[in-house]
Amino acid sequence: MSSYETTETREDSVEEPLGSIGHETFMITMEVVYKKIKREPRNIKPEDTLTKDLSLDSLEALELLVNLEQCYDIDLVGSPEIADVSSVDDLYSLVLRCQTARN
């Protein structure tokens, strides 16, 4: 049994370690959480910034982080790296690092 699984994306097939979240799964999670917070659907792109493009104020950004912490059983708010996050892709990278550190 391999410790990797193949995940199909829109562009190609990639290998991801089992237990890690794929980029496409994260993007879907972001859209669901965004809709929960803002009460409106949005097609979120990896390059979207949290404050400018997604129009999240500080309270909404905190709510986003808490929801992601609950989804992935990680600590984002307490991470010193959270201050460096400005885009959705930055946040995805931090979630992956927090998951790796937890395991």
Side-chain angles (χ1 to χ4, degrees), residues 27-44:
M27 295 304 294
I28 292 167
T29 303
M30 282 291 297
E31 289 178 3
V32 169
V33 172
Y34 181 87
K35 185 176 180 183
K36 178 180 173 184
I37 294 169
K38 293 296 242 181
R39 308 274 191 262
E40 61 186 48
R42 178 180 171 100
N43 185 12
I44 295 177

Side-chain angles (χ1 to χ4, degrees), residues 79-92:
S79 171
E81 297 176 68
I82 196 64
D84 299 328
V85 171
S86 63
S87 71
V88 172
D89 247 2
D90 293 342
L91 186 54
Y92 173 67

Side-chain angles (χ1 to χ4, degrees), residues 21-33 44 46 50 64 68 71-72 74 76 87-96:
I21 59 167
H23 195 264
E24 192 168 340
T25 301
F26 179 77
M27 295 304 294
I28 292 167
T29 303
M30 282 291 297
E31 289 178 3
V32 169
V33 172
I44 295 177
L50 302 178
L64 170 73
L68 292 174
C71 283
Y72 299 116
I74 55 176
L76 293 170
S87 71
V88 172
D89 247 2
D90 293 342
L91 186 54
Y92 173 67
S93 295
L94 179 57
V95 167
L96 289 180

Side-chain angles (χ1 to χ4, degrees), residues 51-93:
T51 54
K52 186 175 180 182
D53 297 324
L54 300 183
S55 301
L56 296 176
D57 62 28
S58 58
L59 187 57
E60 291 167 334
L62 180 60
E63 188 175 350
L64 170 73
L65 295 175
V66 169
N67 275 275
L68 292 174
E69 285 181 337
Q70 291 170 348
C71 283
Y72 299 116
D73 191 28
I74 55 176
D75 179 25
L76 293 170
V77 176
S79 171
E81 297 176 68
I82 196 64
D84 299 328
V85 171
S86 63
S87 71
V88 172
D89 247 2
D90 293 342
L91 186 54
Y92 173 67
S93 295

